[in-house]
Amino acid sequence: MSSLPLSMKTLLQLSPHSPSLTLTTSPLPVPSHPSDVLIKVYTTAPCKGELTWAAAFPDVIPSTKTPVPSQDLAGVIVSLPPAYTGGFKPGDKVYCRIEATRPGAAREYALARLSELALIPKNLGWIRAAATPLSSLTAWQALFTHGGLNKEGLLEGKNPAREENAKKRVLITGATGGVGSWAVQLAALAGCEVVGLCGPNKIAHVKELGASEVVNYKETSLRQWASPEREVDVVLDMVGGKTLEGCWFAIKDQGKMVSICAPPESARPSHLVVKEGVNSNFFIVEPLGEDLTEIGQLIEAGKVRPTVDSVWSFEEYGAAFERLESGQTTGKVVLRVADFDK
């Protein structure tokens, strides 16, 4: 700890009501929770729309939060809680999602909690590591915690879970986004038949990720595409709005509809023929290191991979956030916070 600098570069949001950011200097964060881990940040990946969260969700994001954005990080453990006796040690390369109620990782040193951490897979560099936590965790929990699929289907060879998953069609909107690209890979790997929704220039990429069918939303709306023989058992919506509304035409009776954008019932068309027994759910991801560890095992085995849209220096934060909010990304936007070779 004695070799640590007295100050660090920190990206701050100037106001919860504005997306304006500034790169400044601040003191290093000081652990104050029994599970706090101090981490030297190498890379971080912001989330589309996150600069609106404090104003949009004041009951969730505390007004006392230091407004450092970008909750995903990849870095090296500097210090652990004094009473900790677990498997992590200083010098370990780790990645995680910091809970959104606490300051993020767009700074040279950040605090994460022990429960959020996982070791970075050996075949994952700093850039792809930062691109992994939020997107993969959200897809994992959407499919296996909320979507009714059995994660045991991810195991190689024939097994009852995989055979059950194989009976299900899964529709994934925003299939080339950070979360969508993970959801396509994981659902296909678990044995499901995957339908991806994307634009015309990304059809080949979605098929490469594992989708057996792709819907080009520029040509065909989900309402136009949906028919009894095309209905799906599970919907994972990453887009919201009119797209979420269209998902109601594609879901089967007794199906499961999961959205990370809004409660699906809020987008149910009033003129829709009744869909019986649809289980709909809106959820916010839990930053669980144990889930990230399981995902990391799949990454190390070469079965899934993160998708990186672009990489920016820390000083290029403005252009990075502009790219993030463009709606044209394929995968994650990553900021290099520290200097490194790869």
Side-chain angles (χ1 to χ4, degrees):
M1 295 287 287
S2 59
S3 62
L4 293 177
L6 297 177
S7 63
M8 63 178 180
K9 292 180 183 178
T10 302
L11 191 62
L12 292 175
Q13 184 176 0
L14 294 174
S15 165
H17 304 287
S18 168
S20 296
L21 298 165
T22 186
L23 188 59
T24 185
T25 58
S26 66
L28 272 63
V30 177
S32 60
H33 185 277
S35 293
D36 275 346
V37 179
L38 182 64
I39 296 172
K40 177 177 171 57
V41 179
Y42 278 70
T43 48
T44 185
C47 175
K48 186 176 186 293
E50 71 169 84
L51 299 180
T52 68
W53 292 350
F57 307 106
D59 294 338
V60 177
I61 308 297
S63 60
T64 54
K65 173 185 173 179
T66 303
V68 180
S70 198
Q71 307 298 128
D72 281 17
L73 71 77
V76 172
I77 293 177
V78 175
S79 66
L80 290 152
Y84 176 69
T85 58
F88 292 116
K89 61 185 184 300
D92 279 346
K93 296 179 179 180
V94 293
Y95 61 162
C96 74
R97 166 75 176 173
I98 299 172
E99 190 175 16
T101 57
R102 309 198 318 276
R107 51 184 179 170
E108 292 182 293
Y109 292 84
L111 293 173
R113 299 274 166 84
L114 286 167
S115 62
E116 296 167 341
L117 293 179
L119 294 173
I120 296 176
K122 293 181 176 63
N123 58 344
L124 213 54
W126 290 120
I127 289 169
R128 294 200 303 154
T132 297
L134 172 63
S135 297
S136 66
L137 285 169
T138 304
W140 180 275
Q141 292 170 19
L143 289 166
F144 305 121
T145 305
H146 303 285
L149 303 183
N150 192 331
K151 69 179 182 180
E152 299 303 319
L154 295 165
L155 300 175
E156 291 184 350
K158 289 187 176 181
N159 62 66
R162 188 171 183 82
E163 292 172 3
E164 187 62 30
N165 288 344
K167 300 174 185 176
K168 296 182 179 179
R169 277 168 57 84
V170 180
L171 170 64
I172 298 167
T173 70
T176 58
V179 178
S181 59
W182 275 102
V184 172
Q185 291 180 84
L186 289 169
L189 186 62
C192 302
E193 180 182 351
V194 178
V195 181
L197 181 73
C198 67
N201 298 328
K202 300 178 179 179
I203 292 173
H205 179 60
V206 175
K207 288 184 177 179
E208 181 190 355
L209 291 173
S212 55
E213 184 177 352
V214 180
V215 182
N216 175 3
Y217 70 82
K218 293 281 189 180
E219 290 184 352
T220 309
S221 70
L222 284 176
R223 183 174 183 178
Q224 293 168 327
W225 173 82
S227 61
E229 63 273 13
R230 285 174 166 167
E231 286 183 335
V232 299
D233 303 277
V234 181
V235 167
L236 266 59
D237 171 62
M238 319 299 172
V239 180
K242 288 292 184 182
T243 299
L244 179 55
E245 179 180 314
C247 291
W248 279 100
F249 295 94
I251 193 74
K252 287 181 179 179
D253 289 347
Q254 316 302 323
K256 289 183 179 291
M257 188 179 296
V258 180
S259 177
I260 63 171
C261 300
E265 288 292 339
S266 69
R268 181 197 281 262
S270 58
H271 55 283
L272 178 68
V273 174
V274 175
K275 294 290 181 93
E276 299 288 347
V278 173
N279 183 320
S280 65
N281 187 22
F282 163 71
F283 83 101
I284 297 173
V285 66
E286 294 185 71
L288 299 177
E290 58 188 23
D291 286 353
L292 197 53
T293 296
E294 291 193 74
I295 294 164
Q297 291 168 355
L298 296 175
I299 294 171
E300 275 203 346
K303 295 179 179 180
V304 292
R305 66 187 189 279
T307 303
V308 175
D309 175 83
S310 53
V311 183
W312 308 79
S313 71
F314 205 8
E315 289 71 23
E316 294 175 311
Y317 65 87
F321 272 85
E322 184 177 340
R323 174 64 182 171
L324 179 67
E325 299 297 339
S326 70
Q328 302 301 312
T329 58
T330 299
K332 296 289 287 186
V333 171
V334 177
L335 282 170
R336 295 173 63 114
V337 178
D339 293 327
F340 54 89
D341 293 332
K342 60 180 180 177

